Amino acid sequence: MQKVFLGEVRMKGVMGFLARAGFVTPVDDGTDRSLAGGADEVPAVDPVSSPVLAEPVAPVEEQITLSLAEVYAAAGIPASPYPAEKLLRVLDGLGAMDQGTQKVAIAAMDAADDGWTIEDPIRDAEHKVEALAAHANRLRAGVEQAHAETMEQIGVLKQNGETMVADIRKQIVDLEGLMSREIARSVQEQADLTSDLTAKREGANRLIEQLLVTSTSFKLLISQFRQAPARPDGQGAPQTNAVS
């Protein structure tokens, strides 16, 4: 522990010397930042070199909420004595130098501190590149899976909608046919009733005419042969042919 502390002191001394010489700009040596980005943002993942995933894909809505720390933890990346993000912040402070001078400065820092070597951040970066490539692949697979599931659901809804519309249209046709038949039946029944009433009226009128004719005949008969009331002198009523 004392050796690491002394190495850190020597590294800070080198950085202080470079800063006083105007070669570097002091930077914050804080902890790793989240997925939101900033100076510690990791390089973009190369989609061509990303490995193909075979394991089941988690829902994309769960994957997009993961931070970098959670992605690295899920990938099982071990803790590094000198994380790649820390070296990126140092290089950001050495941004005024050319790459050759940057390498010399980093080599000086490495030599001044026995607690880490340049291989530590490089190995850490390699592990994280693989983890980020796998995570990017999972995101792509998650989006493809969500797309396939959504298209399937849309297809089912579309098919159900078409089936429902077809059923409704068939019901409309059936109801229109039923309505036409009911209208025709009602019209026919009305016509039948009207015809029946007409037949009854005509039959009754013919019978009434016959009754009138018969009644008239009876009246004539009565009028012709009715006995007149007897007279006091015993003579019968005079004969008459008048018809009432």
Side-chain angles (χ1 to χ4, degrees):
M1 180 67 70
Q2 184 177 5
K3 181 178 180 180
V4 174
F5 176 74
L6 292 175
E8 188 73 21
V9 172
R10 287 195 296 272
M11 183 190 70
K12 290 181 178 179
V14 173
M15 290 301 296
F17 172 76
L18 293 174
R20 286 193 297 274
F23 290 109
V24 302
T25 301
V27 296
D28 181 19
D29 192 19
T31 57
D32 295 343
R33 299 180 187 174
S34 65
L35 192 60
D40 342 331
E41 247 183 278
V42 296
V45 178
D46 182 7
V48 178
S49 62
S50 301
V52 178
L53 298 176
E55 68 271 12
V57 180
V60 68
E61 59 270 20
E62 295 180 6
Q63 298 185 52
I64 59 179
T65 61
L66 297 178
S67 65
L68 280 179
E70 291 171 328
V71 172
Y72 298 151
I77 297 177
S80 174
Y82 202 95
E85 291 86 353
K86 188 173 182 179
L87 183 57
L88 287 175
R89 287 194 296 273
V90 172
L91 290 173
D92 186 59
L94 300 175
M97 300 180 180
D98 56 68
Q99 289 189 358
T101 307
Q102 289 180 357
K103 288 182 178 181
V104 171
I106 296 301
M109 291 169 54
D110 184 6
D113 189 351
D114 295 334
W116 65 280
T117 67
I118 191 60
E119 289 298 322
D120 293 325
I122 292 176
R123 189 180 303 107
D124 185 56
E126 290 174 345
H127 291 161
K128 289 175 179 176
V129 166
E130 293 178 359
L132 293 174
H135 185 53
N137 244 20
R138 282 191 292 271
L139 287 171
R140 295 189 191 95
V143 171
E144 291 177 0
Q145 177 176 292
H147 174 79
E149 292 174 352
T150 301
M151 290 299 101
E152 181 179 0
Q153 293 172 353
I154 290 176
V156 171
L157 291 174
K158 183 178 179 181
Q159 182 62 41
N160 291 343
E162 291 175 351
T163 301
M164 183 65 68
V165 169
D167 290 342
I168 292 174
R169 286 176 176 169
K170 182 178 181 303
Q171 292 177 20
I172 291 174
V173 171
D174 294 342
L175 289 173
E176 288 177 344
L178 177 61
M179 180 178 65
S180 298
R181 290 192 297 271
E182 286 299 315
I183 291 174
R185 184 181 64 82
S186 177
V187 170
Q188 183 61 47
E189 289 180 351
Q190 293 176 49
D192 292 343
L193 291 172
T194 302
S195 177
D196 184 60
L197 176 61
T198 300
K200 290 177 180 179
R201 179 181 290 110
E202 291 175 352
N205 288 337
R206 285 194 298 269
L207 182 57
I208 290 171
E209 290 177 359
Q210 293 176 3
L211 294 175
L212 289 175
V213 170
T214 302
S215 178
T216 300
S217 298
F218 289 155
K219 287 179 179 180
L220 289 175
L221 179 65
I222 294 170
S223 176
Q224 183 178 1
F225 295 99
R226 175 181 294 165
Q227 291 290 333
R231 294 182 176 179
D233 58 3
Q235 296 181 355
Q239 298 291 328
T240 179
N241 292 328
V243 179
S244 60

